[in-house]
């Protein structure tokens, strides 16, 4: 079996994927990963979905709304950022935009004059730092080697920094078993009380909502897709009943069951 995730080697996505499979292929965007899994090119895909500091990864949400895949597991891993460079005299800090944001306070206080450059991944920033002495990268400290030294460790603004990753599989692997369920809902409607109506089916059945987020549908201004995570499995009658109510509300749109799954904690 083969898993696909964000590359190059050394990203946090790569570290999370190692808990799923050792045969790993890299892609340069979340959308490419989700599309490849939807087209059954790979057995699994691993994408970041939410960070405890910076919130949801919008590209991941949009890709899950665009492509039909199954969520089969959730991996939660702590994020430990280090500043890596060939030496202390650098001009630019390059890393993924989320990593730069997660270290904002440290960078503003310690390197206020440094130019910040957002790149495709933390590992890509490390590559730039390895090839250019004027560039520093932010990534896991294990990316240090003979060419790069660790100038500072644990530079993230919150010590509790952690990221959720979704493990994706083709739709034929979708499961009803697990303690959590993820849904994507496109009501294709907009009227007073719509959001309340979308949430009431879960409240009425004592189902806890662990995440609710809206994203533009891309169809027209003010039109939204809703991403909903609940602490209940699709195997439960109450979950099926709540989704039935959602489907009636979204009769002009659609409701996608991404699947039920359990959580795996990866401590590094």
């Amino acid at each position: 079996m083969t898993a696909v995730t964000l590359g190059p080697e050394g990203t946090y996505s790569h570290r999370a994927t190692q808990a799923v499979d050792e045969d790993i292929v890299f892609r340069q965007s979340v959308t490419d990963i989700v599309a490849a899994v939807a087209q059954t090119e790979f057995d699994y895909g691993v994408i970041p979905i939410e960070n405890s500091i910076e919130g949801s990864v919008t590209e991941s949400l949009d890709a899950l709304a665009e492509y039909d895949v199954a969520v089969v597991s959730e991996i939660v891993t702590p994020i430990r950022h280090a500043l890596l460079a060939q030496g202390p005299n650098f001009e630019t800090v390059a890393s993924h935009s989320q990593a730069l944001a997660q270290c904002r306070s440290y960078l503003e206080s310690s390197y206020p004059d440094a130019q910040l450059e957002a790149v495709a991944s933390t590992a890509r920033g490390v590559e730039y730092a390895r090839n250019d002495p004027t560039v520093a990268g932010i990534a896991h400290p294990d990316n240090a080697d003979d060419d790069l030294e660790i100038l500072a460790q644990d530079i993230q603004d919150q010590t509790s920094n952690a990221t959720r990753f979704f493990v994706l599989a083709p739709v034929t692997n979708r499961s009803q078993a697990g303690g959590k369920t993820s849904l994507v809902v496109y009501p294709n409607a907009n009227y007073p009380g719509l959001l309340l109506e979308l949430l009431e089916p879960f409240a009425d059945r004592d189902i806890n909502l662990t995440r609710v987020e809206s994203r533009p549908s891309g169809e027209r201004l003010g039109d939204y897709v809703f991403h909903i995570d609940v602490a209940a499995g699709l195997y439960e009658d109450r979950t099926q009943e709540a989704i039935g109510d959602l489907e009636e509300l979204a009769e002009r749109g659609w409701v996608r069951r991404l699947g039920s799954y359990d959580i795996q904690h990866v401590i590094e």
Side-chain angles (χ1 to χ4, degrees):
M1 295 188 296
T2 305
V4 59
T5 195
L6 285 172
E9 184 175 345
T11 62
Y12 285 97
S13 293
H14 178 210
R15 301 179 70 84
T17 306
Q18 289 174 320
V20 178
D21 204 320
E22 293 184 356
D23 188 6
I24 300 172
V25 175
F26 299 110
R27 290 288 185 270
Q28 297 306 308
S29 79
V30 167
T31 304
D32 287 346
I33 293 167
V34 179
V37 173
Q39 295 159 9
T40 68
E41 294 180 28
F42 299 96
D43 301 292
Y44 297 105
V46 177
I47 62 170
I49 196 72
E50 183 181 20
N51 176 261
S52 60
I53 297 176
E54 286 301 302
S56 295
V57 181
T58 55
E59 184 184 1
S60 296
L61 298 183
D62 294 343
L64 290 174
E66 181 176 357
Y67 296 97
D68 196 8
V69 293
V71 177
V72 297
S73 181
E74 177 182 311
I75 297 174
V76 178
T77 181
I79 302 298
R80 295 182 53 220
H81 287 316
L83 186 66
L84 307 170
Q86 296 184 32
N89 299 318
F90 58 85
E91 300 170 0
T92 301
V93 179
S95 193
H96 190 276
S97 58
Q98 285 243 339
L100 293 172
Q102 291 160 22
C103 302
R104 183 182 296 112
S105 295
Y106 170 81
L107 293 172
E108 288 177 352
S109 62
S110 299
Y111 297 97
D113 297 326
Q115 178 180 346
L116 305 184
E117 180 179 349
V119 295
S121 66
T122 55
R124 186 69 67 196
V126 168
E127 285 187 352
Y128 290 168
R130 188 172 285 119
N131 295 325
D132 187 342
T134 68
V135 176
I138 293 177
H140 193 281
D142 283 357
N143 285 280
D145 54 22
D146 292 341
D147 297 321
L148 290 179
E149 61 177 292
I150 299 175
L151 300 182
Q153 292 197 60
D154 294 321
I155 63 174
Q156 61 274 4
D157 293 343
Q158 300 290 334
T159 57
S160 59
N161 191 13
T163 293
R164 300 169 59 217
F165 295 86
F166 274 171
V167 181
L168 310 179
V171 291
T172 52
N173 295 85
R174 187 171 291 154
S175 173
Q176 296 197 41
K180 290 185 69 175
T181 298
S182 288
L183 309 166
V184 185
V185 182
Y186 177 49
N188 193 18
N190 184 17
Y191 55 83
L194 171 62
L195 180 57
L196 176 62
E197 290 185 359
L198 294 175
L199 302 183
E200 279 182 331
F202 301 103
D204 291 345
R205 294 169 177 86
D206 198 31
I207 297 175
N208 186 36
L209 298 175
T210 59
R211 183 174 64 95
V212 179
E213 187 151 356
S214 63
R215 289 288 300 154
S217 69
E219 297 294 329
R220 55 190 176 272
L221 191 64
D223 193 48
Y224 294 95
V225 173
F226 295 90
H227 294 260
I228 301 174
D229 292 349
V230 301
L234 285 170
Y235 67 90
E236 299 182 56
D237 290 340
R238 60 176 183 157
T239 310
Q240 293 293 345
E241 293 169 0
I243 293 174
D245 289 352
L246 283 186
E247 290 174 330
E248 290 184 11
L249 290 167
E251 61 180 352
R252 295 174 53 193
W254 45 263
V255 176
R256 180 176 299 157
R257 300 164 170 82
L258 294 178
S260 296
Y261 50 89
D262 289 319
I263 303 172
Q264 178 182 359
H265 291 270
V266 177
I267 307 299
E268 298 180 345

